[in-house]
Amino acid sequence: MTAARGTAGPDTGAAPGTGATAVGRAGVRAASGTDASPRPATAPQAAPGDVLARASGGAASGACPRPDGAESGGCPVSGGTAALRRARRRDRQVYVRAHPLLFALLGVVRRRAVTRLGRAVLVSGTEPYREALTRIPLDRAAAGTTGGAARELSGGGTLFDQEGGDHRDTRRAVAGDLGAAGVERLRPVWRAVLVRRLAPLAAGRPVDLVPLARELAGATVRALLGSRADASVLAEAAADAAAAAVRDHLPGPRPPGSSRAAARATARLEALLADGPGEPTAPQALRAMIAVAAVNTTVAAVPRAVAWCADGGLWEQAADERLRPALVDELLRVTAPSPLLPRVAAADAVLDGCPVKAGDRLVLVARHAVGADREPPDALRPAPPAVARLVFGAGPHACPGARLALAQLDDVLAALAPYRPTVLDARVDRRAALPGWRRLTVRATAAARPLTEDPA
């Protein structure tokens, strides 16, 4: 039976994070630690010849009771309450080991839609969160925000610090590459990475999903922006730029040399992106910030989503073509790669009865707004898309790469589902800009044929 929503139990709070570009004042550096699961039996050697395609089937036979009491036809099942609790316990490590005091503070206020703490306004409710992004004028270039960090590091003009006509023009410039046709053009790039990186699973060997996600993101960015840099080197540079920016913009005294380190990391990334066959089609600063956003959110989200599937018994849902799109939405909702968006109000307003003054810091807790701390992922009873997609923001400044992120995670789950992998070892990344794993090693528990690049 599929567990009813909420059965995994709520978190005790949310963790700090960054905005959509993985840079900002409230960025997270997750602490390290080890969490190993029992080793499964080695999967037998499989015959070659299968294709990388959207996995289908895997439905359980018989009627599947729904949480509302209705019954449907045969349907994939989750691992139940205990499995989902285990999955949540593992996932919480990427937050609680980083900033336990801030985690506890946000846990105290999470049940209130809006909470004022001095000049900061913490926004956890779904509608206040949406309203803060769509109805309150925001200072896009204020210090301590995503846009402010982008402007400081790269001189501005990067989507993240723009308003009005400039923002619309820049957004149109990248819309084609990140729209439906653009994503399909890029798909063979990351599928090739999946074929090569997941091949050891068919031979019964473990695979670390963090370098896979890093190369997948780097190869996609390289193709998207026309760089000749090595995919893993490019991804590493984007991660370094984000981490340096986070250290430079954390609350409190700045570490000595943090501004220079952030500038050097950004300059290195821009130099790698400039190594292309022709003239760049977008400003270098914009290209750098797109790379930072794409790499860091992908590296944060993909391994965490896979861990949820492995620990929570969600591989049957991942294998079902009918359910996988909803599961992808649910996993991105629950992982909320950018769990906290730092913003600054540009005008007086009211949020859920709480007065907001121009200049107040708005701490938009995406994890709480989408119910990630309360409701486990469930493709049979998903959150409404209008809620789940809030992890990408809302309004004219919503993340333009949402379609790309959804397509990549869909293909990752389709490729992994036949193997039914389990987690062997996990270590939290203590220096990353977004909460995530430094290592997440999995091994197959079911035999499957090796992937090829040809889609079914």
Side-chain angles (χ1 to χ4, degrees), residues 45-351:
Q45 177 71 41
D50 207 358
V51 298
L52 175 58
R54 301 179 187 280
S56 61
S61 60
C64 179
R66 297 295 298 271
D68 57 6
E71 288 190 353
S72 62
C75 65
V77 295
S78 71
T81 301
L84 290 169
R85 284 177 176 164
R86 181 170 62 248
R88 187 179 293 285
R89 281 197 301 270
R90 188 194 300 277
D91 194 62
R92 287 179 68 243
Q93 292 179 37
V94 301
Y95 302 108
V96 73
R97 293 185 179 182
H99 296 280
L101 294 180
L102 184 53
F103 187 89
L105 171 64
L106 293 178
V108 169
V109 303
R110 73 185 177 89
R111 296 189 182 278
R112 300 183 61 180
V114 180
T115 304
R116 173 174 285 282
L117 295 175
R119 290 300 304 274
V121 178
L122 278 66
V123 182
S124 298
T126 303
E127 290 311 313
Y129 176 95
R130 191 194 317 274
E131 186 175 350
L133 289 172
T134 58
R135 297 186 60 187
I136 295 181
L138 300 175
D139 185 346
R140 300 281 294 170
T145 67
T146 299
R151 177 160 292 192
E152 181 176 338
L153 291 174
S154 57
T158 66
L159 263 181
F160 311 107
D161 63 341
Q162 292 177 323
E163 284 285 3
D166 289 342
H167 179 267
R168 287 192 295 272
D169 291 343
T170 304
R171 195 175 182 92
R172 277 195 295 268
V174 301
D177 289 333
L178 295 174
V183 168
E184 288 307 311
R185 286 195 299 270
L186 292 169
R187 209 161 205 151
V189 173
W190 71 69
R191 281 181 163 172
V193 176
L194 289 174
V195 168
R196 179 165 40 80
R197 285 282 188 172
L198 295 181
L201 289 179
R205 298 194 302 272
V207 170
D208 186 350
L209 294 178
V210 175
L212 178 152
R214 189 179 299 121
E215 184 183 353
L216 183 151
T220 302
V221 166
R222 181 179 62 182
L224 175 66
L225 301 178
S227 171
R228 288 186 295 220
D230 177 81
S232 296
V233 171
L234 182 59
E236 180 185 3
D240 288 344
V246 165
R247 288 192 294 271
D248 190 39
H249 289 83
L250 284 172
R254 296 186 180 187
S258 61
S259 295
R260 291 191 299 275
R264 285 196 301 270
T266 303
R268 177 184 177 227
L269 174 60
E270 291 182 345
L272 288 171
L273 292 172
D275 181 17
E279 203 58 34
T281 57
Q284 200 66 8
L286 174 60
R287 290 158 56 83
M289 298 311 292
I290 288 174
V292 166
V295 167
N296 287 277
T297 53
T298 301
V299 174
V302 167
R304 287 179 59 197
V306 172
W308 264 101
C309 287
D311 293 335
L314 298 174
W315 287 124
E316 294 294 335
Q317 293 186 4
D320 192 314
E321 283 188 326
R322 303 162 299 169
L323 294 178
R324 193 166 57 248
L327 181 62
V328 167
D329 271 340
E330 283 288 276
L331 289 169
L332 288 175
R333 176 185 65 82
V334 170
T335 57
S338 296
L340 186 150
L341 308 182
R343 300 291 187 263
V344 171
D348 294 352
V350 176
L351 275 178

